[in-house]
Structures are given as structure tokens and as C-alpha cells.
Amino acid sequence: GGKLEREGSEPPVWPGGERAWELPVEVLECADGFVFSASSLQCEACPRGTAKEQNECVRYDASVGVMVPLRWGGPDVPLEPWALRYAASASMAAYHINNRVTSLVPQAQNLLPPNFKLVVEIKDTEAVPSVAVGHVVTWQEEGKHVVVGSYRSAVTGPLALAASVEATPVVVWGATASSLTDRDAYPTLSRVTASDAVLAENVIRSIKSMGWTRIAI
């Protein structure tokens, strides 16, 4: 990569106006989701069902969008260390799935078909509902199969409504509002954490089973 077969005496002219046999650095560095095409001499979008890896469009079987509030309140605030850990965990999970790593999930070897490939894209919601909805709309246009997130209930509600328009499944990992249990309002939403109502009920049961008459919260 980085060089063309020489045909004729004159090197090609690149989009930036430079004439050379070597590909300019700015041509090689295409944006996410785009790769450089030697035939058209420009960056082209990867076809649906593929993702960019080392300047190539690689086929995948499932595409997942993960939402994490990396910057709580806007792009100019510091990164949240705990949110970075969640984002890293999502990337590691995709690596384990694609490489059949069994150190954490021994069944990973046999759970998926041979050569199954998962692609994960992580987006910052900034803990803002409108930002999350924008990501959902973009991902639906790109053909994402599943949306994971978000952390805040106030963000998860609007994004789940947007996802339901195209029947996109949403898996929630942090939002606990009891209102999100409404299947009529959020038909494609499921979550891996208990709701506030379930948590409160279990706390009451624990207090009663211990015979406590006074508690502090």
C-alpha cells in the first residue's frame, strides 16, 4: 500500500493537487468508515455490512452501537474515568467474541457460528438526550443491529423511543427508572439491571427479614 503501479511517464494528480507516485498522507488517512480507493483516487464509504479495519472494508455479521456518557454535560468537560472503563469493557468484549477468548466466558467457543464477526462502535452521549437520539438516528441509517445504553434514565427514554421507530433493539446497562418497564412505550427495550421499583422492594424485604426497626439511608 502507499504506491501505485507506474503506467506512463507522468505520476497521477491527487485530490489536493499534488502530483506524485507516492500517496499523500492526507489521502491515506480517510475518516472513520471510509477507505482510500486507488481507482477513484479518493476516500469512499465502506459498503453496508462491512467496517473499516486498517484501511480495508472488512465484512461483519453484527454491528452494535454502544452509548457511554464519556463527558458528563458537554464536549468541554473532563472525561469520566468510570465511563472510560465501561467503554474499554465493551471493546474488550467484542475482542473476546471475535477471537473466541474463553478466559472470562468459557462457552464463547461454541456460542456463535464459525467466523462470526462483531463490530462495536462507541459514542459519547454527554449525558444529553438529544445527543443520544442523534446517534440512534445515524446508527439506524447505517444499519446497526443493536443499541446498548445509556447510563441515565433521562437519556435512555428518548433514545429508546427513537430506536422503536425502526424496531431497533436497545439493551440498557445502567438506567433504572421504573417508567422504562412500560412495554407499550418502549417495545424494543430490555435491560440487564433492576428497576428502582424492584430494588426498593428487595430492600424492604431485606429489612423485614433482618427484623430491623430503624435504618439510615
Side-chain angles (χ1 to χ4, degrees):
K3 213 178 242 192
L4 295 178
E5 293 294 329
R6 302 196 176 195
E7 295 182 358
S9 57
E10 293 293 327
V13 178
W14 302 102
E18 180 180 352
R19 182 184 289 275
W21 290 109
E22 298 286 341
L23 276 67
V25 173
E26 62 271 16
V27 171
L28 291 173
E29 296 179 352
C30 296
D32 288 343
F34 289 77
V35 296
F36 181 76
S37 170
S39 58
S40 65
L41 302 183
Q42 62 184 1
C43 293
E44 296 183 352
C46 286
R48 177 168 290 198
T50 66
K52 178 181 179 180
E53 283 190 11
Q54 298 181 348
N55 209 39
E56 289 185 274
C57 295
V58 180
R59 181 199 59 80
Y60 61 78
D61 298 284
S63 181
V64 179
V66 178
M67 295 196 192
V68 182
L70 295 174
R71 290 181 171 85
W72 197 285
D76 299 324
V77 299
L79 290 166
E80 295 282 352
W82 65 268
L84 286 172
R85 289 193 292 270
Y86 276 107
S89 297
S91 297
M92 184 179 72
Y95 175 84
H96 280 211
I97 290 171
N98 291 333
N99 294 278
R100 304 302 190 271
V101 178
T102 59
S103 57
L104 295 179
V105 183
Q107 302 88 346
Q109 190 89 29
N110 304 314
L111 283 176
L112 298 170
N115 301 318
F116 180 92
K117 184 173 180 62
L118 174 70
V119 172
V120 169
E121 182 178 5
I122 299 171
K123 290 290 189 181
D124 181 11
T125 66
E126 302 174 15
V128 177
S130 60
V131 174
V133 170
H135 293 327
V136 170
V137 172
T138 299
W139 282 343
Q140 287 176 329
E141 293 172 350
E142 295 173 352
K144 285 282 188 295
H145 296 96
V146 180
V147 172
V148 177
S150 176
Y151 178 75
R152 288 187 65 203
S153 298
V155 174
T156 299
L159 79 84
L161 287 174
S164 67
V165 174
E166 297 291 338
T168 303
V170 177
V171 180
V172 179
W173 56 272
T176 59
S178 299
S179 59
L180 297 175
T181 309
D182 187 341
R183 301 297 295 177
D184 293 328
Y186 310 105
T188 64
L189 183 146
S190 60
R191 50 184 167 189
V192 295
T193 185
S195 69
D196 291 333
V198 172
L199 179 60
E201 183 179 346
N202 286 328
V203 169
I204 293 172
R205 285 179 178 177
S206 298
I207 293 171
K208 287 182 176 180
S209 67
M210 293 293 185
W212 296 338
T213 56
R214 299 176 65 185
I215 63 170
I217 298 178

